[in-house]
Amino acid sequence: MAAVAKVKQDMPPQGGYGPIDYKRSLPRRGISGYAMFAIGISMSAFGYWRLAKWNRERRRLLIEDLETRIAILPLLQAEADRSMLRQMRENLEEEAVIMKDVPGWKVGESVFSTDRWVPPTVAELYNLRPREELLHKRFGFQWYV
């Protein structure tokens, strides 16, 4: 038999191989869940605080508007009364012209059996006026109807 060549087996180095890094080493991505939860709660609290602040301001503005309306209400009522008296005077003048030939007719005599003041209705005030004026007074700016 022929001489067999001696094979040298591959062996680890003296002291062994170094440790193998097999753990996952992912970089941190963003903030933690606790931090996100805290940010969400703080943003909600801030939003509710701003909402409460705006509601207080809006309530103050509404009270101011209401006080303004209450303050000018006597002026508006006086204007409405003046307009009604002017209209009644014009109606009495028109009634005198229309009924001048009727014997026993008293211009401005009340049709009610009372001594109390009875405010005239819109139809009474605008009965002798053009129909468009009556409709405008009764329905206002409802042109779409």
Side-chain angles (χ1 to χ4, degrees), residues 81-99 107-108 120 124-130 133-134:
D81 290 346
R82 270 190 232 114
S83 174
M84 183 180 65
L85 289 174
R86 181 186 52 79
Q87 188 68 36
M88 288 174 65
R89 187 182 69 233
E90 290 176 5
N91 285 351
L92 289 176
E93 291 170 359
E94 187 73 23
E95 181 183 350
V97 169
I98 291 173
M99 303 301 283
V107 176
E124 288 176 303
L125 281 177
Y126 289 91
N127 192 27
L128 300 174
R129 309 295 297 169
E133 207 171 316
L134 170 66

Side-chain angles (χ1 to χ4, degrees), residues 95-124:
E95 181 183 350
V97 169
I98 291 173
M99 303 301 283
K100 65 182 175 188
D101 296 330
V102 177
W105 184 265
K106 295 178 186 173
V107 176
E109 185 177 358
S110 178
V111 294
F112 300 105
S113 303
T114 182
D115 295 334
R116 292 185 335 154
W117 164 253
V118 179
T121 63
V122 173
E124 288 176 303

